[in-house]
Amino acid sequence: MKHRVSFYFVLYLVVLVELLAVIIERDTNEMELKERLKEYETIQDSVISLYRQPILLTVQKETDWLVNSRDSLHILISASNLQTPEEKAGVKYFVNVQGNENRVRYSVITDKTTGNGHFYFRTNIAGTFTFDAYCRVSRKLPKYLPDIVLEGIFKKIGSDFTVSSDTVDFKVNSKVQLQKFDRPGRG
């Protein structure tokens, strides 16, 4: 006796196999999605920890300067932990002098490429001048990060945040030449 397999039974088996293939593919895609989301979360956390590092300023603690009517003193204020070109270009420096404010002129110019500050000082009197400096920057995330990473970061820390650096103190000891230099042997 021959057993005949029904056409509908074969069709049922084919549909069952296809359904099983779809379920396996769905599970595989779901696992890949979970892994990718976990990768994005790791990227978000590493970027957040990088941006939570404080901005640190470094400046020479004490400088001696001989007053000259033609030149001004230049001191570099170095900023570290600036991450993007937009941050480096947007740094704003604040410098305050302690005492003798009316007798000195000073300014800070930001190097838009490095984010460092160039402090220029000028006076015509002798003395010790103490300054304190800090900077403020609006943190900007890199533009190359995927949108999903940026959205996750914004959810965790907000979209706009401004940070200030530590405050550093430095001194300028200015001296005035009392008499013109005379070369020996000249009358």
Side-chain angles (χ1 to χ4, degrees):
M1 194 184 253
K2 286 185 161 178
H3 290 289
R4 295 185 80 198
V5 177
S6 164
F7 171 76
Y8 293 109
F9 180 71
V10 171
L11 188 60
Y12 173 75
L13 286 177
V14 168
V15 168
L16 206 56
V17 168
E18 280 297 316
L19 181 61
L20 186 59
V22 168
I23 290 171
I24 291 172
E25 184 178 346
R26 182 206 62 195
D27 290 347
T28 304
N29 288 340
E30 216 173 74
M31 284 179 14
E32 288 175 6
L33 179 63
K34 285 179 182 179
E35 287 174 14
R36 184 161 290 159
L37 289 174
K38 189 174 180 178
E39 285 177 27
Y40 288 150
E41 181 128 355
T42 303
I43 292 170
Q44 291 168 2
D45 292 341
S46 69
V47 168
I48 289 170
S49 71
L50 187 66
Y51 276 78
R52 285 201 170 140
Q53 292 180 0
I55 306 297
L56 301 174
L57 296 184
T58 307
V59 65
Q60 186 173 327
K61 289 289 182 194
E62 196 163 339
T63 305
D64 293 328
W65 182 61
L66 185 60
V67 173
N68 183 331
S69 61
R70 293 172 294 188
D71 295 328
S72 59
L73 174 67
H74 171 249
I75 297 174
L76 179 67
I77 303 172
S78 177
S80 61
N81 294 334
L82 298 174
Q83 304 300 328
T84 62
E86 293 83 11
E87 285 182 355
K88 293 174 183 176
V91 175
K92 293 189 182 357
Y93 285 91
F94 301 91
V95 177
N96 299 307
V97 63
Q98 299 170 5
N100 288 334
E101 293 176 26
N102 300 330
R103 305 294 303 261
V104 298
R105 292 184 307 211
Y106 61 91
S107 64
V108 179
I109 298 172
T110 302
D111 182 331
K112 303 288 185 192
T113 306
T114 63
N116 293 331
H118 296 275
F119 175 78
Y120 295 96
F121 169 80
R122 194 170 185 154
T123 187
N124 58 3
I125 63 171
T128 298
F129 301 93
T130 303
F131 297 90
D132 58 61
Y134 69 96
C135 72
R136 190 172 291 142
V137 64
S138 178
R139 289 301 216 171
K140 304 289 184 199
L141 296 171
K143 294 179 181 178
Y144 58 81
L145 290 175
D147 289 339
I148 191 166
V149 172
L150 292 173
E151 289 171 10
I153 292 171
F154 293 153
K155 283 180 185 175
K156 290 180 179 182
I157 61 173
S159 62
D160 179 43
F161 57 108
T162 301
V163 295
S164 294
S165 71
D166 58 332
T167 301
V168 293
D169 295 329
F170 61 98
K171 291 182 182 182
V172 174
N173 300 315
S174 67
K175 298 174 183 161
V176 176
Q177 190 172 4
L178 298 177
Q179 60 188 22
K180 293 188 177 193
F181 181 77
D182 191 11
R183 287 186 281 172
R186 293 195 63 155

